[in-house]
Amino acid sequence: MKPVDFEEAYSILEASFPESERRVYAEQKALLAYPNYRLCGECDELGRVTAVLAAWEFPAFCFVEHLATRPDQRGSGLGGELMSAYLQECRRPVVLEVELPNGPLEQRRIGFYERLGFRMNLFGYTQPPLREGQEDLPLRMMSYPDPLNPEDFLHIREVLYRQVYRISLP
């Protein structure tokens, strides 16, 4: 994994995530100034970004905020390879957010992460809005390599809300 060009990476994120699950361009680019935010990926033989992983690295855990491949590369195994490399490199517990398993697409995404060794946590969780005017987004948290206990979940949620989403818990 290596740092990747932001413009190409953002283009992949736009093609891969609905507006409710990504920041506007300027806010996403501003994250590059945060020391614990990392944008990395893989490139093809022509130097084009083919897969992107955006993560926040904290002392006790890492949070993968986005994992995406170029639309013409989906199903090629690049996403799984990139995540596997990240899991080996991180050497801390890793968490990520997934949509509720309400349909076949969401179930397929969850299965992808389960095949990589992630575990579903059934704690109630919502992602705060990433854009002005949006509602909270009900999600689930998955963790690697083990499920979270209630205390760890509450700590992780607090760190994510404060550091990633910039809000305070009541």
Side-chain angles (χ1 to χ4, degrees):
M1 292 184 303
K2 60 183 176 187
V4 292
D5 176 73
F6 176 80
E7 305 298 325
E8 285 186 89
Y10 191 78
S11 175
I12 292 171
L13 294 179
E14 276 187 311
S16 303
F17 292 93
E19 280 188 2
S20 62
E21 295 180 26
R22 60 181 162 79
R23 292 174 178 80
V24 296
Y25 177 92
E27 291 176 10
Q28 191 72 41
K29 191 167 188 175
L31 296 180
L32 298 174
Y34 289 89
N36 57 347
Y37 179 79
R38 183 171 171 202
L39 184 64
C40 55
E42 293 296 330
C43 297
D44 64 14
E45 62 280 348
L46 300 174
R48 295 176 303 177
V49 178
T50 54
V52 175
L53 186 141
W56 293 82
E57 298 176 340
F58 301 106
F61 69 95
C62 296
F63 168 59
V64 174
E65 185 171 34
H66 292 110
L67 175 67
T69 57
R70 240 177 40 201
D72 64 336
Q73 296 288 314
R74 290 189 185 136
S76 67
L78 285 173
E81 290 172 17
L82 185 58
M83 180 62 86
S84 292
Y86 185 75
L87 293 172
Q88 286 185 333
E89 185 179 298
C90 184
R91 301 194 186 277
R92 283 170 276 193
V94 176
V95 297
L96 52 83
E97 301 162 336
V98 293
E99 297 159 305
L100 300 177
N102 295 335
L105 182 60
E106 295 86 358
Q107 291 171 10
R108 192 166 72 232
R109 283 190 192 118
I110 291 168
F112 167 80
Y113 290 116
E114 287 174 335
R115 288 188 296 279
L116 291 168
F118 280 85
R119 309 287 296 273
M120 180 65 75
N121 296 279
L122 300 179
F123 305 108
Y125 178 77
T126 57
Q127 179 192 70
L130 292 175
R131 294 172 182 237
E132 196 171 308
Q134 290 181 330
E135 299 290 323
D136 286 348
L137 183 62
L139 298 173
R140 290 277 187 243
M141 191 175 289
M142 296 186 79
S143 55
Y144 174 91
D146 300 311
L148 300 174
N149 64 46
E151 296 81 23
D152 288 341
F153 169 76
L154 292 174
H155 171 73
I156 288 169
R157 184 184 67 172
E158 182 177 337
V159 170
L160 294 180
Y161 277 23
R162 262 190 292 115
Q163 306 258 346
V164 174
Y165 300 114
R166 307 279 181 229
I167 64 166
S168 298
L169 287 171

